[in-house]
Amino acid sequence: MEINKILSDAGLKCTKQRISVMGVLSNAVSPLTAEDIFDNVDDMSLSTVYRIVERLYEKGIVNKNTIQDSDKFYYELSVNGHRHYAICLECKSMKYIDICPVHTANIDNFTVTGHKLEIYGYCDKCRAKLK
């Protein structure tokens, strides 16, 4: 993935901070909060990270999601299309689901332009703690 090209194509300047945030997101295996991104960048304030991810969201470069009963937003690059996750209610870990049951849905007299699917439960580690 060419970060500079993605930013340029979106009409954004290729600043050191944007490139750094994009680098963290491109290496992530699951969506990250602004705080997670902040923990992985150098010489940047948390408010700068928030401004950058919100701008990337506005430009369609990242997806922004919430998790049930959470006040945090989770960000991931949108260049790979949309994704779905199984989310642990205890530790909030997210496991990527490699299928999209809605993608092939055929609904009469309705054009689907987007959707969100989240599956909630407990990961093995948290389920063992609950026993």
Side-chain angles (χ1 to χ4, degrees), residues 26-39:
S26 69
N27 291 321
V29 295
S30 64
L32 302 173
T33 65
E35 292 84 0
D36 295 331
I37 297 167
F38 172 73
D39 290 341

Side-chain angles (χ1 to χ4, degrees), residues 63-102:
N63 295 325
K64 175 176 154 180
N65 298 299
T66 57
I67 295 178
Q68 176 181 320
D69 299 329
S70 174
D71 59 349
K72 294 185 179 186
F73 290 110
Y74 290 80
Y75 301 91
E76 67 180 333
L77 291 178
S78 63
V79 293
N80 297 327
H82 72 281
R83 295 180 149 200
H84 302 295
Y85 295 92
I87 302 164
C88 179
L89 292 168
E90 183 69 24
C91 69
K92 306 297 186 219
S93 65
M94 302 171 86
K95 182 172 174 61
Y96 170 63
I97 304 166
D98 63 353
I99 59 169
C100 177
V102 180

Side-chain angles (χ1 to χ4, degrees), residues 88 90-91 93 122-131:
C88 179
E90 183 69 24
C91 69
S93 65
Y122 295 97
C123 67
D124 290 343
K125 188 185 219 181
C126 292
R127 190 175 61 241
K129 290 180 194 175
L130 295 171
K131 289 184 180 182

Side-chain angles (χ1 to χ4, degrees), residues 38 45-52:
F38 172 73
S45 68
L46 181 57
S47 62
T48 298
V49 172
Y50 273 110
R51 281 192 302 275
I52 290 171

